[in-house]
Amino acid sequence: QSALTQPASVSGSPGQSITISCTGTSSDVGGYNYVSWYQQHPTKAPKVMIYDVSNRPSGVSNRFSGSKSGNTASLTISGLQAEDEADYYCSSYTSSNTLVFGGGTKLTVL
Amino acid sequence: EVQLVESGGGLVQPGRSLRLSCSASGFTFDDYAMHWVRQAPGKGLEWVSGISWNGGKIGYADSVKGRFTISRDNAKNSLYLQMNSLRDEDTALYYCAKKGSSWHFDYWGQGTPVTLSS
């Protein structure tokens, strides 16, 4: 159950687009369309932004989008806003019938 | 409104036990699987355990297997985590999370802190 691999940090200016990658294996990310993305602001509980690779829950801005290619999933945030500054985590269902998270990515809005 | 309220955390010595509880409201509890996710201070999220709607399917992370036991009482709309043989590395904020329509968590509690200290 090794954690999925995410970049430790990414940054972008307001209005720009950024992409966060999440790399796993064929036993998790590559094997199932059960990748989710969570946003976590300091001292707050995580909030789901994307599920099943590319589905957006009701109420989540359409500036957030998800995709997957092989063993790597990606979260793209377009039209970056100051409020997007947070930690982002990917997660995936695994062949062991468990769930695994990525190590997290700190997004800084410059 | 969906609410998940964790309780039972605290300061405990290594080797001892602790039982966490999660009280749920605002949805039909016995329709959904429930999970525990933890976050060590300054670290990332770690899935701990999950239980199906009726308790028939249960899973654990390797890091807690054999030491932690998840359970639920649908009559009380409550989820539990019995933690035995606690270790320093179990220090974390423990979140209760409701599984959504797929393999994701659509609602989270605010967490209950567990701190190991001798």
Side-chain angles (χ1 to χ4, degrees):
Chain A
Q1 291 179 349
S2 299
L4 306 176
T5 301
Q6 298 180 233
S9 63
V10 298
S11 63
S13 299
Q16 288 186 331
S17 294
I18 64 96
T19 296
I20 300 172
S21 62
C22 170
T23 301
T25 68
S26 58
S27 296
D28 39 63
V29 174
Y32 307 92
N33 288 324
Y34 294 139
V35 176
S36 302
W37 290 91
Y38 298 88
Q39 176 191 66
Q40 187 180 35
H41 287 110
T43 74
K44 299 295 187 183
K47 173 187 175 183
V48 62
M49 307 302 284
I50 296 288
Y51 68 95
D52 291 355
V53 176
S54 60
N55 290 340
R56 246 186 341 269
S58 173
V60 171
S61 170
N62 60 8
R63 297 185 298 105
F64 291 82
S65 62
S67 62
K68 190 185 84 167
S69 178
N71 295 337
T72 298
S74 299
L75 172 71
T76 297
I77 308 174
S78 59
L80 211 54
Q81 299 179 0
E83 67 207 49
D84 299 331
E85 185 163 294
D87 293 327
Y88 290 85
Y89 296 90
C90 62
S91 74
S92 175
Y93 175 76
T94 83
S95 59
S96 302
N97 196 31
T98 61
L99 199 81
V100 62
F101 282 97
T105 298
K106 181 177 180 60
L107 169 61
T108 300
V109 180
L110 303 172
Chain B
E1 178 193 6
V2 172
Q3 285 197 324
L4 300 171
V5 180
E6 303 93 336
S7 60
L11 183 63
V12 62
Q13 293 179 326
R16 302 297 290 266
S17 299
L18 208 57
R19 189 194 195 207
L20 306 184
S21 298
C22 171
S23 178
S25 61
F27 66 101
T28 305
F29 184 71
D30 54 12
D31 275 352
Y32 294 93
M34 297 293 295
H35 293 252
W36 290 99
V37 177
R38 68 184 181 184
Q39 186 169 32
K43 302 297 184 182
L45 301 173
E46 180 187 14
W47 177 80
V48 174
S49 181
I51 185 169
S52 62
W53 66 276
N54 64 351
K57 289 185 179 180
I58 286 175
Y60 298 99
D62 287 345
S63 57
V64 307
K65 199 173 293 182
R67 300 187 300 122
F68 290 10
T69 302
I70 192 172
S71 62
R72 64 189 295 161
D73 185 337
N74 287 343
K76 295 183 178 180
N77 287 355
S78 293
L79 175 72
Y80 306 102
L81 186 67
Q82 177 67 42
M83 305 187 296
N84 298 332
S85 303
L86 284 162
R87 305 168 179 168
D88 289 342
E89 55 264 35
D90 296 321
T91 292
L93 185 64
Y94 284 73
Y95 291 104
C96 164
K98 170 185 171 290
K99 184 174 178 286
S101 57
S102 183
W103 269 94
H104 67 285
F105 306 130
D106 54 1
Y107 290 95
W108 299 64
Q110 286 305 304
T112 186
V114 172
T115 303
L116 277 289
S117 176
S118 54

